[in-house]
Amino acid sequence: MNKIAAIIGGGVIGGGWAARFALSGWDVAIFDPDPEAARKIDAVMANARRSLPALSDVALPLEGQIRFVPTLAEAVTDADWIQESAPERLEIKHRILKEIQSHCRADALIGSSTSGFKPSELQQGALRADQIFVAHPFNPVYLLPLVELVGNDQATARAADILTQIGMKPLTVRKEIDAHIADRLLEAVWREALWLVKDGIATTAEIDDAIRFGFGLRWGQMGLFETYRVAGGEAGMAHFIAQFGPCLQWPWTKLTDVPELTDELVQTIAGQSDAQSGRHNIRELERIRDDNLVSMMRSLKGRNWGAGALLNEHDTRLSAAATPDLAKPIISVDRVIPVDWSDYNGHMNESRYGQVWSDAADTVMRLIGADANYVASRLSYFTVDTHTKFINECHVGDAITVSTQILEGAGKKVRLFHEMKNGSGAVMASCTQLLIHVSLETRKSCDPAPKVLENLRNIMALQAPLHPESAT
């Protein structure tokens, strides 16, 4: 039976939480008095279904059921996790949290998406204060992994475990403070950006360019302090601070002053923003943002760094949860086509078919024991020949599965036949692949370990009664 998440407030953040939980296999109950809530969340879910699975190289769990309920009580009664995403007004949050606690289980986790309030403020007048904690995410919640956790140690520890299981990065804040960690940093940048616009130094587009073509790229993979450590050269951080620290005393920024948000300034900012990106509607901008985030995070995944390392860890967890039945066809790949696999023809580039066959072969390698530990022992298999038949087009967002048959597994050779199908069961492509066992010390062919040959024989014997279609 699936776990249940209750989402109280179905706006941008609440909808993102609903998508993250549902696409991680949780059932989701949503309460929001807004008559447009269902329509808005349907739009969020469409974007999430298109992008979140594209981050993984393995299949996500089966999507949980999403239901909209007429009362808050109905949403929270059976919930394991309750996420409050109401407007940032303390009196509203107090009223909602009190109602939640009057209907929910005592062991349910109650997280608040608040970007500014401390847990001690949220807990005022609560029936069970320690049950309430801050779980502050970042938009889009279904893609960005960070969640700041602030509150009771026991509650946040349980929350961190759940968030990790659904592919997120919990960051437990050591002490409660207004606006937690990330928003305090963002507020400093935002405040200075407002001054730059107000004083006519830069437009909104120029400020965004300064970030996305400059330090934003560094921050996305190294953050602040590690970036500056590198800037210090061989002498490291101490040298950087010694060299650049004095400029912190210079009156460059206006971090302690807030520009008055006059109608004139608001209109200036809004006008520049419209000129910058008004050719796209919000849904188009969301899809552009999501596609760019997926591509950037997948790039980091290939480097096993930052958010990419987190994605690899989550893929490993998802793979470990699936135990293949070797008496059935080997499903060697089960995934969604990501945006960075497409080309100018609007379909999956032919080079990516090679990636699919390589991933399928890696699955077989793990099954026969030629896994990472085996490679570490300086033994492996190299692909020496492939023949691909392109039958139908694959497009971004398509779900594909590959079934693999071991045609030959004796001596130094392994010969495989892969067949790729889409979600409707139509065959998209097939491939025959020949691999030769090698020593990574000599880079020449050699005999496999006896255990690997034994595993090959056992799997082929289990597969024999299936009589799969042979490659021709």
Side-chain angles (χ1 to χ4, degrees):
M1 184 176 179
N2 288 351
K3 290 185 175 293
I4 299 173
I7 307 301
I8 310 303
V12 172
I13 297 299
W17 274 113
R20 173 69 79 160
F21 275 111
L23 292 176
S24 300
W26 284 54
D27 289 335
V28 177
I30 302 171
F31 171 72
D32 191 321
D34 180 1
E36 293 289 301
R39 179 190 62 78
K40 293 175 182 177
I41 288 183
D42 282 347
V44 173
M45 287 301 303
N47 282 346
R49 291 187 183 106
R50 181 177 184 272
S51 56
L52 180 60
L55 288 177
S56 290
D57 295 316
V58 299
L60 296 183
L62 290 177
E63 183 176 324
Q65 179 185 5
I66 296 178
R67 59 193 179 96
F68 293 85
V69 296
T71 65
L72 184 149
E74 188 174 347
V76 306
T77 298
D78 298 318
D80 301 283
W81 180 299
I82 301 161
Q83 188 69 24
E84 170 271 310
S85 300
E88 287 286 276
R89 289 173 52 188
L90 195 55
E91 68 275 12
I92 293 177
K93 291 185 180 293
H94 282 162
R95 175 175 55 79
I96 290 174
L97 290 168
K98 184 175 182 179
E99 186 176 357
I100 287 172
Q101 287 196 311
S102 66
H103 296 287
C104 74
R105 302 193 325 243
D107 65 340
L109 291 167
I110 304 176
S112 173
S113 299
T114 180
S115 59
F117 293 125
K118 300 187 290 288
S120 60
E121 294 172 314
L122 297 172
Q123 294 165 353
Q124 292 169 3
L127 299 175
R128 296 176 294 274
D130 287 347
Q131 189 178 19
I132 298 169
F133 58 94
V134 169
H136 175 231
F138 293 81
N139 185 38
V141 183
Y142 53 80
L143 281 185
L144 295 184
L146 182 65
V147 182
E148 294 176 316
L149 296 176
V150 199
N152 173 265
D153 288 346
Q154 185 176 3
T156 55
R158 289 174 57 206
D161 182 63
I162 289 173
L163 292 169
T164 299
Q165 294 303 313
I166 64 174
M168 303 190 83
K169 172 65 176 178
L171 175 63
T172 302
V173 181
R174 295 172 180 270
K175 298 178 181 179
E176 70 169 21
I177 186 173
D178 292 329
H180 326 311
I181 297 173
D183 273 3
R184 294 179 72 88
L185 299 171
L186 288 172
E187 184 183 325
V189 175
W190 171 241
R191 189 178 300 177
E192 188 61 25
L194 292 177
W195 276 115
L196 291 171
V197 173
K198 182 180 184 301
D199 292 343
I201 305 299
T203 66
T204 60
E206 290 162 351
I207 292 168
D208 283 352
D209 283 349
I211 295 171
R212 62 185 173 185
F213 293 110
F215 59 85
L217 290 172
R218 299 186 310 202
W219 285 4
Q221 48 93 30
M222 276 194 172
L224 178 67
F225 283 98
E226 197 163 45
T227 293
Y228 286 158
R229 176 183 175 85
V230 174
E234 293 182 358
M237 180 61 81
H239 176 69
F240 173 82
I241 293 175
Q243 186 166 359
F244 295 98
C247 71
L248 298 178
Q249 304 296 321
W250 301 344
W252 282 357
T253 59
K254 300 182 180 181
L255 295 183
T256 57
D257 298 322
V258 183
E260 183 182 356
L261 292 175
T262 62
D263 290 343
E264 181 182 5
L265 178 56
V266 170
Q267 289 303 314
T268 297
I269 293 171
Q272 291 180 5
S273 180
D274 288 344
Q276 176 184 354
S277 53
R279 65 188 181 279
H280 300 294
N281 64 41
I282 292 300
R283 294 306 174 202
E284 289 171 339
L285 284 173
E286 287 175 343
R287 287 190 290 273
I288 291 168
R289 174 203 65 191
D290 289 358
D291 286 349
N292 289 339
L293 283 172
V294 167
S295 296
M296 292 164 67
M297 292 167 74
R298 286 188 57 80
S299 176
L300 289 172
K301 193 175 186 180
R303 304 300 305 154
N304 198 38
W305 192 266
L310 182 74
L311 292 172
N312 285 330
E313 291 169 5
H314 191 49
D315 276 3
T316 299
R317 275 193 299 272
L318 293 173
S319 296
T323 304
D325 182 352
L326 296 178
K328 296 180 178 179
I330 298 172
I331 302 301
S332 53
V333 172
D334 187 354
R335 61 164 307 142
V336 165
I337 304 301
V339 66
D340 59 315
W341 282 19
S342 65
D343 63 15
Y344 52 82
N345 288 319
H347 59 201
M348 187 167 89
N349 184 268
E350 64 266 25
S351 66
R352 296 302 185 174
Y353 288 80
Q355 178 72 58
V356 171
W357 311 138
S358 178
D359 292 345
D362 283 348
T363 297
V364 175
M365 293 299 104
R366 289 191 292 271
L367 291 175
I368 66 175
D371 54 13
N373 290 331
Y374 191 74
V375 172
S377 74
R378 310 303 289 162
L379 295 170
S380 188
Y381 280 89
F382 285 1
T383 296
V384 295
D385 188 55
T386 60
H387 292 274
T388 296
K389 291 182 179 180
F390 301 96
I391 300 169
N392 281 304
E393 291 182 288
C394 286
H395 300 100
V396 171
D398 285 352
I400 60 166
T401 58
V402 175
S403 60
T404 297
Q405 176 192 356
I406 304 175
L407 299 177
E408 182 180 358
K412 302 173 185 178
K413 295 182 180 179
V414 169
R415 191 159 60 97
L416 305 175
F417 176 66
H418 310 293
E419 189 172 64
M420 182 171 70
K421 297 181 179 180
N422 67 9
S424 301
V427 178
M428 312 304 285
S430 64
C431 173
T432 55
Q433 180 180 15
L434 177 64
L435 302 97
I436 299 295
H437 191 270
V438 298
S439 162
L440 294 177
E441 297 288 350
T442 66
R443 317 300 287 189
K444 296 181 179 179
S445 64
C446 68
D447 290 329
K451 184 63 177 176
V452 169
L453 287 175
E454 181 185 352
N455 290 338
L456 268 169
R457 287 192 295 268
N458 291 340
I459 293 173
M460 292 180 71
L462 288 168
Q463 295 276 308
L466 298 176
H467 300 295
E469 181 180 344
S470 298
T472 57

